Amino acid sequence: MADATAQIAATGTERLTTADGRPLKTALARAQARARRRAFLLVLPLLLFIVVTFIVPIGQMLHRSIHNDGFAANMPQLTQWFAETEPGTEPDETAYAALAADLKAAAEAKTIGVVGTRVNYEMAGTRSLFTSTGRKARKFEPPYRAAILEADEKWANPDLWGTMRQVSRAYSPNFFLAAVDLARDNEGNIVRAPAERRVYVMLFERTFVIAGLITFLCLLLGYPVAHLLATLPLRTSNLLMILVLLPFWTSLLVRTTSWIVLLQGQGVVNNTLVATGLISDSSRIQMIYNQAGTIIAMTHILLPFMILPLYSVMRPIPPSYVRAARSLGASSWTAFRRVYLPQTLPGIGAGALLVFILGVGYYITPALVGGASGQLISNLIAFHMQDSLNWSLAAALAAVLLGAVLILYWLYDRLVGIDNLKLG
Amino acid sequence: MALPVYASPLERLWYYSYRVLCGLIFLFLIAPILIVIPLSFNVEPYFTFTEKMLSLDPDGYSLRWYDTLLTFGMATPEAPRDSSWWLDVWNNAAWVRAAKNSVIIGVSSTVVATVLGTVAALGLSRPEMPYRRAIMAILISPMIVPIIITATGLFFFYSATGLAGSYVGVVLAHATLGIPFVIITVTATLVGFDRSLPRAAASLGASPTTTFFKVTMPLILPGVISGALFAFVTSFDEVVVVLFVAAHDQQTIPRQMWNGIREQISPAILSVATILVIVSVLLLATVELLRRRSERLRGISG
């Protein structure tokens, strides 16, 4: 160090160097690069873990939403014919020969059901056509067109051939089209799905409307409570904070169960209302297994996520600001609206976004207390995963929901910053 | 915020009605959780207070639903209650087995989440960390992405890799879900962490490992334990991933509750709920004590 100083003093304009003669700039850059590498190495194991157990599975799901080779993999010859001909070509004897060969092979490999299911997604009622014709496929003789039409004349339907041409492509955006209530006609044009199958857009709308309503209710209930907690002495507010944190720590299923107990027809709330004579025994209010049940229970469950960010913004606001406004002649309402409220906007933004993001993806509570009218898009994804087994459509719906959530998440990061996420 | 002496009658009225309003909101928050406790002692199979319960008649209360928790699924529930009966409970009772599974999965996933999460939080809170914001966003995302999407993705991934129906699969999934909580609590503890302390240790000749265990760890321990408790609760309360990727015989407490609520809701569910409420009260108390201790350690006066 002493040498270095001496050097600078001696040469004046010469570059700064470290004791061993390297330029100081390079040495500093090297040290910083080492520190960066060290920090990154600490994070790396977790990053790899999350990539493997979280990012890759979601990537696989997204792939599934545009890829389904249920038809192409099991009907190779017909797929080949579709690839070689123009869309709208009349099926000729070659096509029927390919169909007969594929049906025979698929029936023997017992994959005919997979093929039928794949076509059935796009055109209802075709699964049984495939399985029944598959059973007769062994005996087909040329000319195949006549033989197949004899087995079932539905094979002459040009719509069926149009649908088969579409599903013969393993990669297609059709599931995304279905997820937003669109479909393709035989010429490949995008059209609206038949009226009785248009449910998804309605469900997305309902999900966003209900999540918005819940966010609003949480703000309405959370704001006064957060304000009270922020203005009370710390000792009292810490005690009252337990009432906010306990629901936060209690199992979601416990809270949902409690609401079932409270709200059902013979439940505590209805019984109290009947006992106090507010309503008659015959006119008990239906508060659960419908939209009202979903909204009440989810508002309760998400309320702490609104109160905590609001509280952390309100606590540091000095009470003297409002007092100053009052002393300058503002009414208490004006003082609140012009002085206090603007200072709490970051908290409102943080809480509202968090509640909305969590609300949009809710599954358990709507499934248990929502009935038919309180189901959200997550419940439909679960339905397609577990009951209808149309996994590609489930993946496409999940991808649309994921896109919406990621946009909101990005917004949250820009406006609030993930670092500011606090728990209790 | 005491009522000022110059308040007008209207403001006085607002002041008190505001307090009442807040009281009602607090009631809305806490009543649903407390209501299940008395109802779980109901002698009748109803979800409402009977006449006897309201008049505090001891006949209106019983422990029968807690008893069902033990006997349900047993080989010989009618046998005399000696040591072999209790062994039967331990091995066969459905809720006891679910509890054992929950604890095994919860503890394993908590260990994975806490170790990986704490190490990563140490890196993330270094000022030199590159791409901090983007990496943080990725690591927190399991908390934000709807659970049904995570479960769907894991279902495809596990069926392809053969992890479906295994304990390892569920543990890894639950660890992923718990990691954001560990990251958030530990990075919060590391804010204001005095960086000269590890340097002082190093200058006194301690190796990085010794410095970590003797200096850094004791200071961030409260945050680490809070994070671990959050991760444990996340796993202990998780049902969707279990429904999607676990085998049929891998029952956990939430899964058993889920089945109970969907099929035939009985007051036995309420007794489980009561036990879980007591567990969460204990956890909350622990976390609260740790938070105060951590603030004292870091010299932030509360």
Side-chain angles (χ1 to χ4, degrees), chain B residues 40 148 170:
Chain B
S40 70
I148 193 83
V170 181

Side-chain angles (χ1 to χ4, degrees), chain B residues 160-227:
Chain B
T161 52
L163 278 169
S166 70
Y167 274 98
V168 178
V170 181
V171 167
L172 291 182
H174 280 187
T176 308
L177 295 174
I179 278 166
F181 295 97
V182 179
I183 300 264
I184 290 172
T185 46
V186 179
T187 41
T189 320
L190 283 167
V191 169
F193 177 76
D194 190 350
R195 306 227 153 251
S196 56
L197 293 176
R199 249 179 262 146
S203 80
L204 293 168
S207 69
T209 334
T210 319
T211 313
F212 176 74
F213 283 108
K214 294 275 182 189
V215 179
T216 314
M217 194 62 185
L219 283 169
I220 64 166
L221 194 61
V224 174
I225 297 177
S226 308

Side-chain angles (χ1 to χ4, degrees), chain A residues 32 35-36 38-40 42-43 45-47 49-58 60-61 64 220-225 227-229 231-234 238 240-255 257-262 264 266-268 271 289 296 299-300 303-304 307 323 326 331-332 354 357-358 360-364 367-368 378 381-382 385-386 391-392 394-395 398-399 401-402 405-406 409 413-415 417-419 421-424, chain B residues 1 4 6 11 14 18-19 21-23 25-26 28-36 39 47-49 112-113 116-117 119-124 126 128-133 135-158 160 171-173 175-177 179-181 183-185 226 229-230 233 237 239-240 243-244 253-255 257-258 261-262 265 269-270 272-274 276-277 280-281 283-284 287-288 291-292 302:
Chain A
Q32 277 174 340
R36 270 204 299 277
R38 275 207 188 133
F40 188 72
L42 284 172
V43 183
L46 182 64
L47 197 60
F49 183 83
I50 292 283
V51 165
V52 171
T53 60
F54 189 71
I55 309 287
V56 169
I58 287 188
Q60 216 168 14
M61 183 200 78
R64 176 75 74 146
L220 206 65
L221 297 178
Y223 199 91
V225 166
H227 177 249
L228 183 77
L229 287 172
T231 46
L232 283 175
L234 209 54
N238 271 346
L240 283 175
M241 201 52 150
I242 292 174
L243 300 183
V244 180
L245 289 174
L246 185 59
F248 191 67
W249 278 88
T250 309
S251 160
L252 192 66
L253 284 163
V254 169
R255 284 180 280 169
T257 315
S258 312
W259 281 111
I260 296 176
V261 168
L262 279 170
Q264 63 180 343
Q266 296 293 323
V268 175
N271 276 6
Y289 306 123
I296 296 172
T299 303
H300 175 249
L303 190 50
I307 295 178
R323 255 183 256 143
R326 294 297 311 275
S331 70
S332 46
L354 192 60
I357 291 175
L358 295 174
V360 161
Y362 244 60
Y363 167 64
I364 297 172
L368 291 177
S378 286
I381 296 173
M385 283 302 292
Q386 295 178 312
W391 291 345
S392 289
L401 178 63
L402 180 67
V405 168
L406 287 183
Y409 184 40
D413 189 29
R414 287 302 298 274
L415 295 179
I418 307 162
D419 304 15
L421 208 59
K422 281 201 187 71
L423 306 161
Chain B
M1 190 184 58
Y6 52 80
E11 281 173 342
W14 167 243
Y18 177 68
R19 300 256 154 153
L21 185 77
C22 285
I25 298 170
F26 278 122
F28 171 74
L29 270 169
I30 207 77
I33 294 167
L34 298 183
I35 201 93
V36 296
L39 284 175
F47 292 108
T48 189
F49 292 99
V112 175
L116 288 175
V119 173
L122 286 171
L124 282 173
R126 289 192 179 192
E128 308 90 17
M129 180 67 201
Y131 313 112
R132 185 167 186 283
R133 205 165 175 154
I135 290 177
M136 190 89 169
I138 293 174
L139 297 181
I140 302 294
S141 59
M143 193 174 116
I144 297 293
V145 171
I147 187 70
I148 193 83
I149 295 180
T150 313
T152 305
L154 286 170
F155 175 81
F156 292 135
F157 181 62
Y158 283 1
V171 167
L172 291 182
T176 308
L177 295 174
I179 278 166
F181 295 97
I183 300 264
I184 290 172
T185 46
S226 308
L229 289 177
F230 265 113
V233 165
D237 191 24
V239 63
V240 185
L243 284 174
F244 271 66
I253 291 180
R255 192 183 191 180
M257 282 188 81
W258 168 270
I261 299 170
R262 295 211 105 180
I265 179 163
I269 299 280
L270 299 188
V272 182
T274 305
L276 290 182
V277 169
S280 49
V281 169
L283 286 173
L284 173 62
V287 170
E288 202 55 20
R291 194 177 58 83
R292 289 187 190 173

Side-chain angles (χ1 to χ4, degrees), chain A residues 3-65:
Chain A
D3 293 46
T5 333
Q7 230 170 15
I8 296 164
T11 54
T13 54
E14 202 140 308
R15 282 184 308 169
L16 296 172
T17 56
T18 55
D20 53 356
R22 281 180 305 159
L24 196 57
K25 223 176 185 174
T26 348
L28 182 67
R30 199 167 291 172
Q32 277 174 340
R34 198 164 53 228
R36 270 204 299 277
R37 231 176 6 252
R38 275 207 188 133
F40 188 72
L41 278 179
L42 284 172
V43 183
L44 192 64
L46 182 64
L47 197 60
L48 289 177
F49 183 83
I50 292 283
V51 165
V52 171
T53 60
F54 189 71
I55 309 287
V56 169
I58 287 188
Q60 216 168 14
M61 183 200 78
L62 293 177
H63 178 247
R64 176 75 74 146
S65 69

